[in-house]
Amino acid sequence: MDIKKILPHVYAVLTLMLVSAIVFAPNAFNGKVLPQPDNDKARGMQTEIHQYIAKDGKAPLWTNSAFGGMPAYQIYSPIEGNLTVPVYKTLFLWSDITSVWAQVFVAMFCLYFLLQVLGVHWLVAVLGAVGYGITTYNVDILEAGHSTKMAALALAPGAFAGGVLLFRGRYLLGASLLALFIAMQLYANHVQITYYTMLLLGFWGIASGVEAVLNKNLQTWLIAAGLSVVALGVGFSSNLSRIWPTYEYGQETIRGKSDLAQKSGKGDGLDKDYLFGWSYGIAESFTLLVPHFAGGGAGESMGNTQLYKAIARQLPPNMTKRQAEQQVAALMYTGDQPFVGTAIYFGAVIVFLSLLGAFLSPGAPKWWLLSGGIFTIMLAWGKNFFLNDILYDVLPMFNKFRAVSMALGIGQLCFAALAALGVQAFLSGQVTTERKRKALFWSGGISAGLCLLAIVSAGSSGPNDGALAQNPELLDLLAEDRSTLVRGDAFRSITFIAVAFGLLWFYLRGSLKAVVTAGILIVLALADHWTVCTRTLRPEKWENKKQATAAPQPEPFDQQIKQDPDIHYRVLDLSRGGITGNAITSYFHKSLSGYHAAKLQRFQEVVDTFLTTSLEQNLHIVGMLNGKYIVTPQKQVLPNDKALGHAWFVSGIEVVPTADAEMQGLRALNPRDRALVSQEFAGTLAGFQPTPDSNATIELTSYHPDKMAYTYSAASDQFAVFPEMYYPPAKGWKCYLNGQPAPDFIKVDYLLRGMRLPAGQNQQLEMRFEPRSFYTGEMVARVASLLTLLAFFLSLWLWYRTPGASTAVGLVDATPGERQARPQAEEATPTRKPAPKKKR
């Protein structure tokens, strides 16, 4: 092994690590963290899970901490079958989700690796890596606590690297890398980013396929295509214990199909209004080049604006200056989304250089990254662009994912990589000087022209202007501030473009060495991104880790409720927010609230219909969910006298024809006496009606999230209702009577469990959550991930034994007047040498 060839990569990796550590210095060096509210909510939802991990040594698969009950693996990962996890943790430096600097470093490292596979010089690859890692998008999601999204984005370039190698004939190495990175990305557990990654892999397959046809090398492409399917299958199988249960769960959630007739037209998936709720405006795309084109976001600092100064002079008694600044920052936004934390900015330098790549870079990689980048922007437009309506109807799984603006996370990868390819082509000897000059002027003209166009295209009003409707003077100041922000950022971007243009111009004139030019471009791109990121990533936002990640302290009303010795009851807390947006209560109680992007469909429908607008008239519904206490917005504890306990026998069963009738029947239902059963489950009862038995009893004798044990006595067959969330027995819940398998429970009262129980004294009933999808998935995952690791390490050993020729193209210093390239060097495929003449 040639150490001299390895040293540049060592320098590059150390540079990227240092850049991330310096940008996120409070986190890297002082152990401070960002508040990350979404992670705080996740910790609340996981409270019961962690309690049982401490008690049993393993995580339960069900939890009652939130929404009245849901699969625990949707909020905490209990999987052990994926053997690639140690590789994943090593890559992320064995850090936790609060180590944002490590996540950004991995993103930069993986893009650097992809660019090396594409044959880019190591210095230029550092430029592309910085352009992907240090961005406002990454800062925004890290500050919000979208750690799984960041980890998935960080790993995406590694999957692309495997795909590139595979379609270039490095079958074993490419396939094993693709399987490994897909396995790790799925472990990161952000399926939407993996979905976008798969779409971009498809774009690479098409681009390389076209190139294969042109070069008459279709056989290699077909082999690679087949192996890629195998590699993806193995990568997915390495996470089968996560994917399979998630697929099952998804069918029962708001992303699945509703049983209600009024929602039958929605089909299987999210409705368009919800799915496209966060759609990036078409004009808003100017923020990729001019960050304040749409006014910025609520997470930015706006202390220097005229509006803030006017408000600060007459602050209301109940408002701090920091709150006033946040309010002003939210008002500045003029885009199409409800609100944003900050502008998504790809960087003036990166956009300019990506245009250079579009003009100069040869072959399939350019067309892949260019088309992929444009496609992700169009995806982010959501409801504002006709293509997405088509994709909603025809593209599998597309209707499962909301917040389509998330596609810009992959889009920034395409632009950063294309920028690196552009600089590589410009600083190498593969392109003529004349062509470089033309591309330079076109790229500079287009990017600077777009900045000027942004000034005249910027909007003057925003979605939150109504807050100042009664104060026209403040509205005028707001409009003036918006105009100032757009002009300032437009000329700022033009300045960065001009400096980058000048560097490349002086390189062409022979005044700058290629290596020096690349080094300065790295610093310039970093300065461009970093200075915009600091608008959001301000010093005062960093907090002591122990304090930031500590569980909130219980309120006096929490302490009051916890005096109840009952082993299992639920709390509806209205003092900490809405039912579907409050995860804090889960720190202290089994809660009817929670926070999750995929809530069970039936629960959401009951909340929307009965509990959001008319709670007082529907306390019996809270009661049938064993909601024993209600906390008012004023933090008063109200015992719910309609709470029905752990289980009860009903005296009658009413069969209703449809799910709609079952839902509407809840309004006047007395759940203590009668149970509603939909026609689809009536067959299991075969006309059975329970005989009232005043002496019949049923009680919960032991509680575990995965195992509920009951004892009952009844002189005749009875029908029991359990205040537990209905989840199809085929997806995990099994019933046992006196230790023997018993018939499954059925759905009653639209979202609860009901079960016919035979007569008997001191009968022992158990409900156990034993999802086959998880346990079988774990076995398959072990085999698949072991194959992935064996293939990967074998490919590394073979590469070490017989390393292939380097594909990296060196940088060439320009000489004034020299063409620097032969015309044929610009072709996608190198020309073949003439065959030697045969001797006569």
Side-chain angles (χ1 to χ4, degrees), residues 10-48:
V10 174
Y11 299 149
V13 171
L14 291 176
T15 299
L16 295 176
M17 186 177 290
L18 185 63
V19 165
S20 185
I22 292 175
V23 171
F24 300 97
N27 182 237
F29 300 119
N30 297 326
K32 292 187 176 182
V33 299
L34 293 170
Q36 298 186 316
D38 275 20
N39 284 335
D40 291 338
K41 293 171 182 175
R43 280 188 283 268
M45 299 268 285
Q46 295 167 0
T47 298
E48 184 181 49

Side-chain angles (χ1 to χ4, degrees), residues 353-395:
L353 295 177
S354 65
L355 288 171
L356 201 65
F359 284 116
L360 295 180
S361 182
K366 174 183 75 174
W367 296 112
W368 166 47
L369 294 169
L370 181 60
S371 59
I374 294 172
F375 178 69
T376 53
I377 291 174
M378 292 191 297
L379 279 183
W381 288 341
K383 64 184 178 185
N384 300 312
F385 192 61
F386 74 95
L387 173 67
N388 294 296
D389 288 311
I390 299 173
L391 295 178
Y392 180 91
D393 294 326
V394 303
L395 191 62

Side-chain angles (χ1 to χ4, degrees), residues 121-318:
H121 186 272
W122 72 272
L123 262 178
V124 180
V126 170
L127 167 66
V130 167
Y132 180 51
I134 311 301
T135 66
T136 61
Y137 183 86
N138 293 344
V139 167
D140 188 40
I141 63 176
L142 287 168
E143 186 177 7
H146 299 170
S147 302
T148 60
K149 186 191 303 181
M150 186 67 236
L153 284 171
L155 293 165
F160 296 147
V164 170
L165 286 168
L166 188 51
F167 282 91
R168 288 187 169 180
R170 301 294 296 276
Y171 297 136
L172 181 59
L173 180 59
S176 62
L177 273 172
L178 179 57
L180 176 64
F181 274 92
I182 287 295
M184 292 193 297
Q185 192 185 52
L186 284 166
Y187 175 77
N189 200 26
H190 201 288
V191 181
Q192 188 167 352
I193 294 299
T194 300
Y195 184 79
Y196 293 150
T197 301
M198 298 287 289
L199 291 179
L200 263 292
L201 283 168
F203 271 71
W204 168 245
I206 294 170
S208 59
V210 172
E211 188 173 72
V213 171
L214 294 175
N215 293 337
K216 299 180 179 180
N217 193 22
L218 191 57
Q219 182 178 357
T220 299
W221 185 89
L222 289 173
I223 294 172
L227 288 173
S228 67
V229 173
V230 174
L232 290 171
V234 173
F236 272 76
S237 297
S238 298
N239 289 274
L240 193 61
S241 56
R242 168 169 283 159
I243 297 170
W244 188 0
T246 297
Y247 172 75
E248 288 184 336
Y249 176 72
Q251 295 173 316
E252 306 300 320
T253 70
I254 57 176
R255 298 170 190 247
K257 189 175 182 179
S258 174
D259 293 334
L260 299 178
Q262 65 263 34
K263 293 186 177 182
S264 60
K266 177 178 80 70
D268 185 10
L270 298 170
D271 62 69
K272 286 187 179 181
D273 289 340
Y274 186 70
L275 187 146
F276 291 137
W278 254 261
S279 293
Y280 212 60
I282 294 178
E284 194 175 352
S285 302
F286 273 112
T287 67
L288 306 180
L289 185 61
V290 179
H292 271 150
F293 172 81
E300 296 186 26
S301 172
M302 294 291 178
N304 292 325
T305 60
Q306 296 300 314
L307 178 61
Y308 170 75
K309 292 175 182 177
I311 292 177
R313 283 194 292 268
Q314 43 186 343
L315 280 179
N318 60 342

Side-chain angles (χ1 to χ4, degrees), residues 47-114:
T47 298
E48 184 181 49
I49 300 170
H50 286 293
Q51 288 172 349
Y52 280 89
I53 290 175
K55 179 180 178 181
D56 302 334
K58 65 177 183 177
L61 301 181
W62 187 270
T63 180
N64 284 291
S65 274
F67 300 129
M70 64 180 291
Y73 43 68
Q74 293 302 313
I75 54 179
Y76 179 86
S77 173
I79 65 174
E80 298 176 355
N82 185 348
L83 303 180
T84 69
V85 172
V87 180
Y88 174 95
K89 292 184 176 180
T90 300
L91 191 60
F92 282 89
L93 308 178
W94 290 87
S95 60
D96 60 24
I97 58 175
T98 64
S99 295
V100 297
W101 80 274
Q103 295 175 55
V104 173
F105 162 69
V106 174
M108 294 192 291
F109 170 78
C110 288
L111 188 63
Y112 176 85
F113 176 53
L114 170 62

Side-chain angles (χ1 to χ4, degrees), residues 231-497:
L232 290 171
V234 173
F236 272 76
S237 297
S238 298
N239 289 274
L240 193 61
S241 56
R242 168 169 283 159
I243 297 170
W244 188 0
T246 297
Y247 172 75
E248 288 184 336
Y249 176 72
Q251 295 173 316
E252 306 300 320
T253 70
I254 57 176
R255 298 170 190 247
K257 189 175 182 179
S258 174
D259 293 334
L260 299 178
Q262 65 263 34
K263 293 186 177 182
S264 60
K266 177 178 80 70
D268 185 10
L270 298 170
D271 62 69
K272 286 187 179 181
D273 289 340
Y274 186 70
L275 187 146
F276 291 137
W278 254 261
S279 293
Y280 212 60
I282 294 178
E284 194 175 352
S285 302
F286 273 112
T287 67
L288 306 180
L289 185 61
V290 179
H292 271 150
F293 172 81
E300 296 186 26
S301 172
M302 294 291 178
N304 292 325
T305 60
Q306 296 300 314
L307 178 61
Y308 170 75
K309 292 175 182 177
I311 292 177
R313 283 194 292 268
Q314 43 186 343
L315 280 179
N318 60 342
M319 181 181 291
T320 66
K321 289 187 176 182
R322 177 61 189 143
Q323 290 171 329
E325 189 176 353
Q326 289 175 328
Q327 185 182 69
V328 169
L331 287 169
M332 288 293 169
Y333 179 63
T334 61
D336 290 4
Q337 301 172 86
F339 64 88
V340 294
T342 189
I344 299 177
Y345 178 57
F346 284 1
V349 175
I350 291 297
V351 171
F352 161 62
L353 295 177
S354 65
L355 288 171
L356 201 65
F359 284 116
L360 295 180
S361 182
K366 174 183 75 174
W367 296 112
W368 166 47
L369 294 169
L370 181 60
S371 59
I374 294 172
F375 178 69
T376 53
I377 291 174
M378 292 191 297
L379 279 183
W381 288 341
K383 64 184 178 185
N384 300 312
F385 192 61
F386 74 95
L387 173 67
N388 294 296
D389 288 311
I390 299 173
L391 295 178
Y392 180 91
D393 294 326
V394 303
L395 191 62
M397 300 293 292
F398 184 82
N399 61 2
K400 300 291 186 181
F401 306 112
R402 67 187 295 263
V404 289
S405 59
M406 194 184 304
L408 292 174
I410 292 288
Q412 66 186 4
L413 183 157
C414 296
F415 274 75
L418 186 57
L421 292 181
V423 174
Q424 177 69 42
F426 199 91
L427 299 183
S428 70
Q430 294 184 302
V431 182
T432 63
T433 300
E434 182 58 27
R435 189 174 169 208
K436 291 178 182 179
R437 185 179 293 111
K438 288 181 179 179
L440 181 62
F441 276 99
W442 274 107
S443 302
I446 292 172
S447 52
L450 287 172
C451 291
L452 294 175
L453 182 61
I455 296 176
V456 299
S457 303
S460 58
S461 61
N464 302 313
D465 286 7
L468 299 179
Q470 305 301 319
N471 198 325
E473 292 183 3
L474 293 182
L475 272 176
D476 290 342
L477 289 177
L478 178 59
E480 182 181 341
D481 283 331
R482 286 169 173 162
S483 179
T484 300
L485 290 173
V486 174
R487 284 198 307 271
D489 268 359
F491 287 114
R492 174 192 180 279
S493 291
I494 290 174
T495 301
F496 273 99
I497 292 167

Side-chain angles (χ1 to χ4, degrees), residues 679-692:
Q679 185 66 47
E680 65 174 306
F681 293 101
T684 63
L685 299 176
F688 165 75
Q689 282 290 340
T691 301

